[in-house]
Amino acid sequence: MVEKNIITLASSREPRSLKLDRLNQSLIRKLQTSLDLAELLDIFFSEAADWLSIDRMKYSYQGRNTTLARNEKARHSANYGLKLEGQQLGELTIFRSSKLGADELNDFECMLSALIYPLRNAIRYQAALDLAMRDPLTGIANKMAMDGQLQREIALVFRHAEPMSVIMLDLDFFKMVNDTYGHMAGDAVLMQTATIMQEVCRESDFPFRFGGEEFGIILPKTDAEGASIIAERLRLKIESHRFSFNGATIPCTASFGVSAYKPEDTRSDLLSRADRALYKAKQSGRNKVLIDLG
Ligand SMILES: Nc1nc2c(ncn2[C@@H]2O[C@H](COP(=O)(O)OP(=O)(O)OP(=O)(O)O)[C@@H](O)[C@H]2O)c(=O)[nH]1
């Protein structure tokens, strides 16, 4: 007990600049442990809030905002545009109920210098991840992203006992589109299909390109009946759409397979059933929606 008091006394006599220096060294070490942007901001806010009694921090980057708060009402603020070697790294604003003095702002800027490199690395890492998860032709999610998303959705369904469905769709006679109008026209049809899918889907749905001329949609909180209504809507939209390339109009239809999550299903069970239904839709004449209830 006595020992503890002596230590506290000694550290409180330590010059502020030395303490800040030590804080910054430890902050750098902590920030180096993560490439996750949200986690970095969390670490930084926690340290800055402790040191300067900051109440709230807002970080904005490319239209996305993150706010961390201990007290929502603070009204005094200081704002920083973050930039490193010519690269914009967003904007950071701190809020406090009392005005921040010049020394405190100085301290904060010192802490910002510990944040800037890890922040740049996290932004680059996120951009690389985003790129790896997108289909380069259509811009929608690819199979790798779908795998991760389906895994997350299955975990949620498990926890909240809500329905979830999957639609798989495949453009009909797509080889003929390529053979008749050329590969570039085929690419244009694939891009327009992705756009139609995004238009028909809700915000919470997850459209993706599985590969080739095969696409899919994960539909959270949707049972087989709801999913087949969306699939039918999409089927009609594709059938009536005037796919166009270089002045040519390309008629195109798609076949659909729908499956709904059942307890104990793995990702591959769910996808296999949708695929089986899609196969049957192809076998029985194409341009139709079939459900596999398992
Ligand atoms: N333009 C273009 N074509 C692609 C792409 N990926 C796959 N394909 C083509 O898609 C065609 C798929 O042909 P098939 O598997 O025979 O299927 P299909 O002609 O659609 O016939 P069904 O599915 O039975 O209705 C092939 O010609 C592939 O070369 C792509 O990224 N761009």
Side-chain angles (χ1 to χ4, degrees):
M1 194 68 189
V2 174
E3 237 176 39
K4 193 175 169 198
N5 280 341
I6 292 168
I7 291 166
T8 311
L9 208 61
S11 72
S12 72
R13 280 188 185 151
E14 195 178 17
R16 188 178 168 81
S17 62
L18 253 184
K19 275 198 211 167
L20 179 65
D21 215 36
R22 231 160 12 91
L23 172 76
N24 247 15
Q25 291 307 321
S26 130
L27 180 60
I28 288 170
R29 277 196 301 278
K30 286 180 186 167
L31 292 172
Q32 279 169 347
T33 61
S34 179
L35 275 171
D36 183 88
L37 191 54
E39 202 176 329
L40 278 189
L41 293 171
D42 217 34
I43 294 170
F44 181 76
F45 176 64
S46 157
E47 297 290 325
D50 282 350
W51 182 253
L52 295 166
S53 304
I54 290 167
D55 291 307
R56 195 163 82 243
M57 183 174 95
K58 183 179 165 195
Y59 174 69
S60 312
Y61 180 70
Q62 294 188 337
R64 277 189 243 170
N65 298 320
T66 308
T67 299
L68 296 150
R70 288 182 177 177
N71 168 13
E72 290 287 350
K73 292 203 177 93
R75 60 191 182 89
H76 292 281
S77 66
N79 177 270
Y80 295 88
L82 307 177
K83 198 172 170 181
L84 181 65
E85 291 155 6
Q87 188 188 350
Q88 301 288 347
L89 299 177
E91 205 176 288
L92 201 137
T93 312
I94 48 172
F95 300 83
R96 206 172 70 173
S97 39
S98 59
K99 205 164 179 239
L100 284 135
D103 281 353
E104 291 176 311
L105 289 175
N106 218 20
D107 287 1
F108 185 70
E109 283 156 29
C110 197
M111 294 178 86
L112 272 183
S113 68
L115 175 68
I116 201 93
Y117 280 97
L119 183 68
R120 194 264 317 260
N121 295 343
I123 286 173
R124 282 186 177 171
Y125 178 66
Q126 192 54 53
L129 270 189
D130 285 351
L131 210 62
M133 297 289 181
R134 302 243 141 246
D135 166 49
L137 178 69
T138 61
I140 63 173
N142 62 14
K143 185 176 179 303
M144 185 157 83
M146 179 279 289
D147 272 336
Q149 186 67 21
L150 198 51
Q151 192 64 52
R152 282 190 288 279
E153 291 300 339
I154 287 178
L156 284 176
V157 165
F158 207 72
R159 224 177 300 149
H160 303 301
E162 282 167 339
M164 190 253 293
S165 300
V166 166
I167 299 173
M168 293 300 292
L169 65 121
D170 187 288
L171 297 177
D172 297 328
F173 302 118
F174 192 65
K175 186 173 180 310
M176 213 155 70
V177 172
N178 276 331
D179 293 347
T180 312
Y181 302 93
H183 203 268
M184 300 263 278
D187 282 357
V189 170
L190 293 171
M191 286 190 264
Q192 288 168 42
T193 302
T195 305
I196 295 172
M197 285 170 69
Q198 286 170 301
E199 283 165 7
V200 170
C201 282
R202 297 164 301 189
E203 279 279 302
S204 53
D205 296 338
F206 189 86
F208 58 89
R209 183 179 177 202
F210 201 73
E213 80 291 18
E214 196 171 359
F215 294 85
I217 310 173
I218 301 169
L219 302 116
K221 299 186 182 150
T222 310
D223 59 14
E225 198 191 338
S228 58
I229 291 171
I230 298 196
E232 179 60 14
R233 201 176 294 158
L234 195 52
R235 187 192 70 75
L236 287 170
K237 197 104 191 235
I238 290 174
E239 185 186 46
S240 61
H241 184 74
R242 289 170 66 88
F243 289 95
S244 55
F245 181 74
N246 267 357
T249 301
I250 306 162
C252 196
T253 60
S255 301
F256 296 74
V258 175
S259 68
Y261 179 81
K262 289 197 306 183
E264 314 287 309
D265 262 357
T266 61
R267 266 180 302 180
S268 99
D269 294 333
L270 191 60
L271 290 174
S272 299
R273 285 204 305 279
D275 220 33
R276 203 159 61 195
L278 170 58
Y279 179 76
K280 282 188 189 152
K282 287 275 184 192
Q283 293 302 301
S284 57
R286 295 177 176 80
N287 191 21
K288 59 173 71 172
V289 175
L290 288 189
I291 312 172
D292 188 315
L293 295 171

